[in-house]
């Protein structure tokens, strides 16, 4: 009898192979790692359905979670971004854009499920450290994710301001019209460069902060090692 970990790994692997030549393969593999890491207790919550994964993938992973008797909680996209640096109309626009989306938060533990429900009741608002703890990602890397996001919004606002000649009504209209934001000034270019400067972890779907990318003995290194050992234990043969 193979373990639940191995059997689940097999189910997810064959689901991956059925996707054929999928452009998101790398992302789907990272999701398999995340799912199994949650099953192994390396991370409390597996975040599902937030990527651009195909619909049948999303549904079949949900079925696998259901068969395992896991908590499956549908809710708004979590967002730990601090909007205080932005004008209210801009912050409202960002929140409204996220508002229609739904993801599934999957976990084993009853207490964790309660915490998820609480966050979802609060509209998906949580702190960076809460998000890091629940998703099981290094806090430095989650922090860096939101810092990149801040830089993106700062750049976007600077572009809007420049194009609209500082007129707030025009800025709002431009934003609502989904106008393409093209960085021109050095500051705008720097903001966008930093915003999209992403290093992916080898396993799992978190992005590395600069320290985790460049230095040794980091939180990401420890977590990557846990993921690596879990992948061995699950006898996963995908790449
Ligand atoms: Zn880090
Ligand atoms: Zn570096």
């Amino acid at each position: 009898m193979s373990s639940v970990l191995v059997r689940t790994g097999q189910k997810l692997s064959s689901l991956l192979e059925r996707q054929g030549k999928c452009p998101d393969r790398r992302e789907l593999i990272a999701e398999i790692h995340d799912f199994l890491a949650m099953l192994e207790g390396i991370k409390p919550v597996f975040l599902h359905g937030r990527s651009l994964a195909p619909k049948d993938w999303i549904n079949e992973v949900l079925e696998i979670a259901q068969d395992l008797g896991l908590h499956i909680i549908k809710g708004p996209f979590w967002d730990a971004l601090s909007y205080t640096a932005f004008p209210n109309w801009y912050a409202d626009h960002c929140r409204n854009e996220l508002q229609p989306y739904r993801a599934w938060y999957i976990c084993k533990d009853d207490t964790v499920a309660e915490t998820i429900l609480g966050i979802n009741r609060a509209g998906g608002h949580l702190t960076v450290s809460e998000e890091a703890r629940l998703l099981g990602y290094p806090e430095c890397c989650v922090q860096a994710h939101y810092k990149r996001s801040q830089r993106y919004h700062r750049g976007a606002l600077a572009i809007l301001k420049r194009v609209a000649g500082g007129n707030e009504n025009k800025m709002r209209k431009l934003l609502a019209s989904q106008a393409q934001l093209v960085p021109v000034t050095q500051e705008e270019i720097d903001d966008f460069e930093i915003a999209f400067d992403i290093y992916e972890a080898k396993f799992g779907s978190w992005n590395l902060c600069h320290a985790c990318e460049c230095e040794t003995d980091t939180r990401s290194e420890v977590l990557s090692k846990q993921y690596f050992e879990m992948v061995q234990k699950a006898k996963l043969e995908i790449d």
Side-chain angles (χ1 to χ4, degrees):
M1 255 307 260
S2 52
S3 71
V4 173
L5 179 71
V6 171
R7 284 201 306 275
T8 308
Q10 283 166 350
K11 277 187 195 169
L12 290 166
S13 303
S14 70
L15 177 57
L16 176 75
E17 296 319 323
R18 267 182 279 138
Q19 303 300 313
K21 270 204 188 313
C22 172
D24 309 314
R25 186 177 169 88
R26 207 204 161 280
E27 205 174 315
L28 298 185
I29 291 173
E31 284 194 25
I32 292 177
H33 293 156
D34 278 343
F35 189 106
L36 297 177
M38 176 269 302
L39 213 51
E40 273 292 277
I42 297 170
K43 67 199 246 97
V45 179
F46 167 62
L47 170 58
H48 182 54
R50 196 164 168 162
S51 66
L52 299 168
K55 225 184 159 81
D56 67 316
W57 170 275
I58 292 180
N59 291 333
E60 291 198 45
V61 170
L62 284 173
E63 255 174 56
I64 291 171
Q66 214 155 29
D67 292 345
L68 289 166
L70 299 167
H71 292 280
I72 304 172
I73 303 166
K74 194 176 181 179
F77 277 15
W78 286 357
D79 185 17
L81 187 69
S82 162
Y83 291 97
T84 50
F86 313 130
N88 283 335
W89 58 267
Y90 186 85
D92 286 342
H93 173 88
C94 296
R95 292 195 198 100
N96 287 340
E97 281 210 309
L98 279 182
Q99 213 270 327
Y101 293 101
R102 289 295 175 270
W104 288 271
Y105 301 88
I106 299 174
C107 69
K108 292 199 293 191
D109 190 277
D110 294 349
T111 320
V112 173
E114 280 305 317
T115 308
I116 294 170
L117 286 168
I119 293 166
N120 291 352
R121 273 194 297 268
H125 299 295
L126 76 176
T127 65
V128 170
S129 53
E130 242 180 335
E131 182 167 294
R133 183 178 66 78
L134 289 166
L135 298 183
Y137 294 146
E139 190 169 334
C140 48
C141 299
V142 177
Q143 190 83 53
H145 163 80
Y146 283 109
K147 276 195 178 145
R148 282 194 302 275
S149 184
Q150 292 274 2
R151 289 299 289 263
Y152 170 79
H153 291 299
R154 199 179 84 164
L157 268 165
I159 294 168
L160 289 170
K161 197 168 182 177
R162 175 174 49 74
V163 175
N167 180 314
E168 192 192 291
N169 269 329
K170 277 190 192 164
M171 288 170 77
R172 298 172 76 145
K173 272 188 192 144
L174 270 170
L175 186 65
S177 72
Q178 314 267 358
Q180 226 211 318
L181 302 173
V182 183
V184 171
T185 70
Q186 194 56 51
E187 264 197 324
E188 294 163 6
I189 291 168
D190 287 349
D191 278 343
F192 273 31
E193 234 170 56
I194 287 170
F196 297 108
D197 192 16
I198 286 168
Y199 303 95
E200 291 172 327
K202 189 158 188 289
F203 302 103
S205 50
W206 78 99
N207 292 317
L208 303 180
C209 72
H210 190 75
C212 281
E213 193 260 323
C214 294
E215 294 164 18
T216 53
D217 281 330
T218 61
R219 297 275 309 279
S220 282
E221 209 177 286
V222 173
L223 185 59
S224 292
K225 193 166 171 279
Q226 283 181 296
Y227 265 69
F228 176 75
E229 285 165 0
M230 179 272 298
V231 165
Q232 306 293 105
K233 196 171 154 193
K235 302 189 175 79
L236 271 190
E237 287 171 2
I238 44 172
D239 51 37

